[in-house]
Amino acid sequence: MPPPSVKLDSSFAEKASPGTVPNPVLMLLALVLLMCAAPCEPASEALLLTARPSRPKEGGSMTLTCEMQATSQKLGAPVQFCFFRESQALGQGCSHSPELQLPTVWRKDSGSYWCKAKTLAIRVTWSPRIQIQVQGVPVWNVSLETQPPGGQVQKGKKLVLICLATQGTGDITFSWYKGVLGLILETKTQRSLTAKFEIPAVTDSDAENYFCTADNGYHPSISELVSVTVRSPVSRPVLTLGAPGAQAFPGDMMELRCEAQSGSPPIRYRFYHEDIILGSNSTLSGGGASFNLSLTTEHSGNYSCEADNGLGAQRSEAVMLSVTVPVEDRKELLASGVLEGLLGTLGPTVMALSLCCWLKKRLGRREAEDPGRIPPSPVPQVPNYINSAVPLQEQFVYENVNVVSGDEVYSLVYHRQQERQAAGSRNVKSVNARRDFLHVHL
């Protein structure tokens, strides 16, 4: 604003004739006005806008300061400061603070900045414009991770592919690719160093190599290949028993074969006899497993097997095996069993029989010493002569030995038989006596 001009009243000039001396009062008044004109004018204020840092990085903060530099003494009136980018006001409007804090700036925030200051007298001044260029950070060190870890996922379950960047500013565009040829699966843009792509339910066709890229406008960064393996649970296995012949005998070598028709390797097989584990075997490339068993008579019973690849174990149906005992061995086993049974249950009877045999021997000795002895309680005999036409018959004599066991009575039976001599012989007939032990059951 230019300073006000000083004008003298024309009446004074008209009254003053040429050649006359001016009125001293008027002269003094004009001098006071001239002396007072400069000090009474408001001081001209100069504004300067500065930024810290002068080259901010994308994603970082920046502080703007509006500085006043008075050509003369500073005004004592309150001042309000306003900040602008291009024609857009920044912050919450004007304030009494000469600083404005911008917490985060992006490349789109690059442009022309300036500020203004105003007083209550509605006096406004503007700062010169300054150019601020926000510096972006390129994406770097991109990697691809899987969930579940290791790229091992069960068929029908969810697979998550996570693309990560170690650094990079601004909006980043992420893309996921399948296979070495790079079949694009999905692309998304977000202001983040991490992005996810999900496959809700994987199938066998999802077993492949994957990679991802990230780009924030400078140049794309590519991850390494990650292999994904789709694993399937094992199906119910089938157990087969293989014997050398149609029948299984003790001493034969029996092969137990267990196989699951489907399931991702490695698979571990376990073999059971009546729910007691016999052994186990593993396959690294699929297929079944075998277990050999030398048979005994105790190996008859139910057999089963189990398959497990870490995604759930499956048990086969039970298979019945009967070990056949040969006839000779069966007779030996039967005789042995009968003998053991008799010795265990007929102990008293055996002792009684032993006593009877001893008594019989004693009686035999006495008859040999005394041939004329007649056994007690004889049964009437019918004589048979040598020349008789009637055939010779045996003669029986019974004798109780008073051996009783429960409801059983034991007796001695004597057999007497007359023999013919040669024709014309008059020798005394000889008598053969035989004693039998008679067991009578009451």
Side-chain angles (χ1 to χ4, degrees):
M1 177 182 298
S5 57
V6 178
K7 295 182 180 181
L8 298 177
D9 193 348
S10 58
S11 60
F12 291 102
E14 293 176 355
K15 293 180 181 178
S17 59
T20 61
V21 180
N23 190 333
V25 177
L26 295 178
M27 293 292 293
L28 181 61
L29 179 60
L31 181 61
V32 172
L33 291 176
L34 292 175
M35 294 177 61
C36 186
C40 292
E41 180 184 5
S44 176
E45 303 295 329
L47 294 180
L48 180 64
L49 179 65
T50 59
R52 299 192 312 271
S54 59
R55 300 182 64 184
K57 288 186 177 182
E58 192 173 25
S61 62
M62 181 177 65
T63 302
L64 299 175
T65 304
C66 195
E67 298 179 354
M68 295 182 61
Q69 295 179 346
T71 58
S72 60
Q73 68 177 26
K74 294 186 178 181
L75 299 176
V79 181
Q80 287 189 326
F81 299 92
C82 307
F83 298 86
F84 300 87
R85 183 184 71 246
E86 305 299 345
S87 59
Q88 180 182 359
L90 302 177
Q92 300 298 324
C94 299
S95 68
H96 295 288
S97 174
E99 292 186 349
L100 176 64
Q101 178 76 29
L102 300 178
T104 308
V105 292
W106 307 100
R107 276 181 294 171
K108 66 179 182 63
D109 296 324
S110 300
S112 178
Y113 287 76
W114 53 281
C115 68
K116 73 177 181 178
K118 62 180 181 178
T119 64
L120 296 179
I122 319 178
R123 181 176 179 228
V124 180
T125 56
W126 292 268
S127 71
R129 293 173 179 262
I130 61 173
Q131 288 295 127
I132 298 177
Q133 185 66 36
V134 179
Q135 305 296 314
V137 177
V139 173
W140 181 74
N141 194 20
V142 175
S143 62
L144 180 64
E145 296 181 357
T146 63
Q147 189 64 246
Q152 300 281 337
V153 59
Q154 184 176 344
K155 185 177 180 179
K157 299 295 184 179
K158 181 173 69 173
L159 172 65
V160 181
L161 301 175
I162 307 171
C163 194
L164 307 97
T166 301
Q167 66 180 19
T169 58
D171 293 335
I172 302 177
T173 300
F174 295 90
S175 301
W176 289 264
Y177 300 87
K178 179 180 179 181
V180 179
L181 298 178
L183 174 63
I184 188 166
L185 300 175
E186 184 173 311
T187 298
K188 61 174 63 174
T189 301
Q190 58 189 49
R191 190 166 291 173
S192 172
L193 294 176
T194 303
K196 297 180 180 180
F197 170 69
E198 296 183 359
I199 301 177
V202 299
T203 62
D204 293 332
S205 62
D206 294 320
E208 189 53 274
N209 292 321
Y210 294 84
F211 67 95
C212 71
T213 62
D215 185 13
N216 63 348
Y218 291 98
H219 57 79
S221 181
I222 305 174
S223 72
E224 294 183 354
L225 287 173
V226 173
S227 178
V228 172
T229 303
V230 178
R231 303 195 65 210
S232 301
V234 293
S235 60
R236 190 174 189 182
V238 177
L239 177 67
T240 56
L241 305 181
Q247 292 180 324
F249 297 95
D252 289 346
M253 187 63 67
M254 174 72 71
E255 180 186 14
L256 286 77
R257 178 74 178 176
C258 187
E259 183 173 2
Q261 298 301 320
S262 63
S264 301
I267 302 175
R268 187 171 185 83
Y269 293 95
R270 297 180 180 88
F271 299 86
Y272 296 88
H273 174 222
E274 302 293 354
D275 293 332
I276 298 176
I277 188 169
L278 298 173
S280 62
N281 203 348
S282 297
T283 59
L284 301 178
S285 59
S290 298
F291 180 80
N292 294 324
L293 179 65
S294 180
L295 296 179
T296 66
T297 56
E298 298 178 353
H299 284 144
S300 295
N302 293 319
Y303 288 81
S304 62
C305 69
E306 182 182 75
D308 186 9
N309 66 347
L311 302 177
Q314 293 289 337
R315 193 79 170 262
S316 71
E317 293 183 357
V319 178
M320 178 68 182
L321 174 66
S322 178
V323 180
T324 303
V325 180
V327 177
E328 294 79 5
D329 297 342
R330 190 181 305 170
K331 289 181 179 179
E332 292 179 1
L333 291 174
L334 180 61
S336 176
V338 171
L339 181 59
E340 291 179 358
L342 289 175
L343 291 177
T345 60
L346 300 180
T349 304
V350 173
M351 294 180 63
L353 290 175
S354 300
L355 179 60
C356 290
C357 292
W358 179 79
L359 291 175
K360 186 170 69 171
K361 290 180 181 179
R362 294 283 296 177
L363 290 175
R365 292 196 189 110
R366 290 181 182 180
E367 289 181 358
E369 295 174 356
D370 188 7
R373 180 183 177 187
I374 300 175
S377 305
V379 176
Q381 305 177 18
V382 178
N384 294 302
Y385 295 99
I386 296 175
N387 296 327
S388 173
V390 180
L392 294 177
Q393 298 179 353
E394 288 187 336
Q395 300 177 5
F396 300 93
V397 177
Y398 299 90
E399 180 181 19
N400 291 334
V401 295
N402 298 327
V403 178
V404 180
S405 176
D407 296 333
E408 299 173 339
V409 176
Y410 296 87
S411 300
L412 290 176
V413 180
Y414 291 84
H415 300 263
R416 296 180 181 275
Q417 183 177 5
Q418 296 176 347
E419 298 180 352
R420 295 179 183 272
Q421 298 291 331
S425 176
R426 294 183 181 272
N427 294 335
V428 181
K429 64 181 178 180
S430 62
V431 178
N432 292 331
R434 186 174 79 251
R435 291 175 294 179
D436 291 339
F437 187 80
L438 178 64
H439 171 206
V440 180
H441 183 75
L442 298 180

